[in-house]
Each structure stands twice: as structure tokens, then as C-alpha cells.
Amino acid sequence: MTNDEVMRIAMAQQAIDCGCEPEDFTRAENAVFISKKNSEARRYLKNLPFFFDLVFYGANVVASVDERIADFVEDFINSRKPYSCFDADGIYLLNAEFAKYGKKIKFLAEYWLPDMNLLSALPCAYETRILTQLDFAELYLPQWGNALCADRAERDVLGVGAYDNGQLIALAGCSADCGGMWQIGIDVLPEYRRQGIAAALTSRLAVEIAARGKVPFYCCAWANLGSARNAVKSGFRPAWAEMTAADIEENV
């Protein structure tokens, strides 16, 4: 799998999620689409159809929105540079308008894809094991809340654990969130952090995912510098930014 193929798969999935075409993410001009449900969308997107979702791959901005705010959003994204749509002052403007509908910005993150020219399994100082769904049953615990998700346990398909004298000390897991892409999450017990374990497990799991013909992807909040550093060390590179609105009282 090449980097071009990885990006093509990611944009194809994003187009399903946003109700547009893959080439819409590389156009010179911004675009607004009315959001619709799609059974092939990323399965954790419980807010489909979106009230507001903004995606930036580095060229233009693509918005997938409720038709009631389509004109407002079009004016908003065309009145500033694409990356500036994600700045704090823009979020304030969006929230002021969205409050009329009981909505506000709830999710702002950077997504990462592997650099297939660099991706390789990094060494780990501890024993590592490949884990499957059958191994996860007893692991739905708070300390593994990034690697596994009890609410979507049926999608937790593969993992890599690190062990110290037989005790699980770190866990990377992936969720089959859509047909061609599996999302990685990582947890390391506090006393074992800063030893390179996170990158070792993340990179190993990414290699295992790619070997199964799927695209590994990684997500973190913009301010989560530790997670971003882990992504870079593990062979991932920034791919797109995404911002989503939800009900004011809803946890995304």
C-alpha cells in the first residue's frame, strides 16, 4: 500500500461521511454540502446527519451541514483563509449562530495517516503480544479506555499488549470504524510512560493493520501534544483537521 493509496482511501471514506466526492477535498474552492445519513459512514458518527462538520485536508474547506445553516456556513468559510476557520475567533462566531438551534462546537481534532515509506514496528523493552477480540473481554477497564471502547466492543478487532512479568502495562487497540480504515487508540499505565512503549505498540499495531489490507488512522485533540508526538514517532503524519457541532448538552 502506497501513501497515495492511503490518502485515496481516506478521502473516499470522508466523502461518504460528508456526502460529497473525494475530489472535493482537493479543489481550489471551498464547498458546502447538505448532510445525509449513510450506512457506510464511520460507525462512531452518531450525529449523522451532521448539523455542522468542517473538514480541511490542506487545500480547501468542505462543510457538511444542516440545510438551515448552509448559507451562513458558506459565508463563514469564504470570508477567511481555510485554516483560519478552525481558529478560536471563528469558533466563537459559529457558536453564537449555532446556539439558536441548541448546538455548539463539541469536537475539534487532528487526524493522522501512516507514512508508508517510514512505517515500521519499533522495538519495545517489554514482551508484546498480538491480541484479538477473544482476548478483550476482561480488558474493558478505565485504564484501557483509549485502546478499547465498551460501547462499541463489537468493533474492537485487534490489539497489541505490552507485559511486564505477565502483567499488562500498555495496550494499543483498533476499532473497525468503517470498511477500509481502522482507528488506533493507546493507553500506557502511568508508571511505564516515557519509555517509548506507546510508539512501539502503536507502530506495531499499524503494521499489523496494514498487513490485513486496512488503513490505520489515528486521532488526537489539537492540544494533546503527547498524543501528537506519539503519532509522529510511530510513523504517522497529519492528514486532515475536522470540527463538528452537536447538541449543547450532548457529550461527543
Side-chain angles (χ1 to χ4, degrees):
M1 194 181 304
T2 67
N3 284 336
D4 285 344
E5 289 170 334
V6 165
M7 184 61 73
R8 199 157 46 240
I9 291 169
M11 287 187 176
Q13 181 60 52
Q14 194 94 56
I16 291 171
D17 301 340
C18 292
C20 63
E21 298 298 325
E23 55 267 25
D24 289 319
F25 298 109
T26 57
R27 296 187 187 280
E29 66 278 358
N30 298 322
V32 178
F33 298 90
I34 304 303
S35 181
K36 299 177 182 178
K37 284 186 176 293
N38 191 316
S39 61
E40 296 182 358
R42 281 174 286 164
R43 297 180 180 94
Y44 61 85
L45 296 178
K46 61 182 180 180
N47 290 317
L48 275 178
F50 291 122
F51 176 78
F52 170 85
D53 187 69
L54 211 62
V55 177
F56 177 53
Y57 272 86
N60 63 337
V61 169
V62 172
S64 181
V65 303
D66 186 297
E67 61 183 351
R68 294 173 294 174
I69 60 169
D71 291 340
F72 172 84
V73 172
E74 184 171 14
D75 290 342
F76 173 81
I77 63 178
N78 289 329
S79 66
R80 59 198 68 226
K81 294 179 180 179
Y83 60 83
S84 296
C85 293
F86 297 81
D87 288 347
D89 64 333
I91 293 175
Y92 296 145
L93 290 174
L94 292 171
N95 280 341
E97 178 67 19
F98 295 171
K100 301 174 185 177
Y101 306 92
K103 312 284 186 180
K104 72 175 183 180
I105 300 299
K106 281 290 190 80
F107 183 76
L108 181 62
E110 189 169 35
Y111 286 83
W112 305 70
L113 292 172
D115 184 335
M116 300 305 292
N117 297 320
L118 299 175
L119 183 66
S120 63
L122 298 175
C124 185
Y126 297 88
E127 175 195 0
T128 61
R129 304 175 193 169
I130 300 295
L131 305 175
T132 65
Q133 269 188 334
L134 295 177
D135 302 306
F136 295 150
E138 305 300 322
L139 298 180
Y140 287 97
L141 302 169
Q143 62 264 41
W144 313 125
N146 290 314
L148 302 174
C149 180
D151 292 339
R152 303 192 297 268
E154 71 281 359
R155 298 178 209 150
D156 293 331
V157 292
L158 191 65
V160 179
Y163 296 81
D164 185 7
N165 293 318
Q167 177 190 351
L168 184 65
I169 61 170
L171 177 64
C174 66
S175 175
D177 287 330
C178 49
M181 301 175 67
W182 291 359
Q183 182 172 194
I184 294 176
I186 177 72
D187 292 291
V188 180
L189 295 181
E191 60 269 33
Y192 289 93
R193 292 172 186 169
R194 300 185 182 278
Q195 299 183 44
I197 301 171
L201 299 194
T202 302
S203 61
R204 172 74 183 279
L205 183 54
V207 168
E208 294 290 337
I209 293 169
R212 288 160 173 77
K214 305 295 183 181
V215 172
F217 73 106
Y218 187 99
C219 172
C220 69
W222 281 9
N224 193 342
L225 298 183
S227 187
R229 291 186 184 115
N230 179 57
V232 172
K233 188 174 180 180
S234 302
F236 285 75
R237 296 295 179 263
W240 77 91
E242 191 164 359
M243 180 164 62
T244 309
D247 292 342
I248 289 175
E249 302 302 324
E250 181 179 354
N251 291 322
V252 175

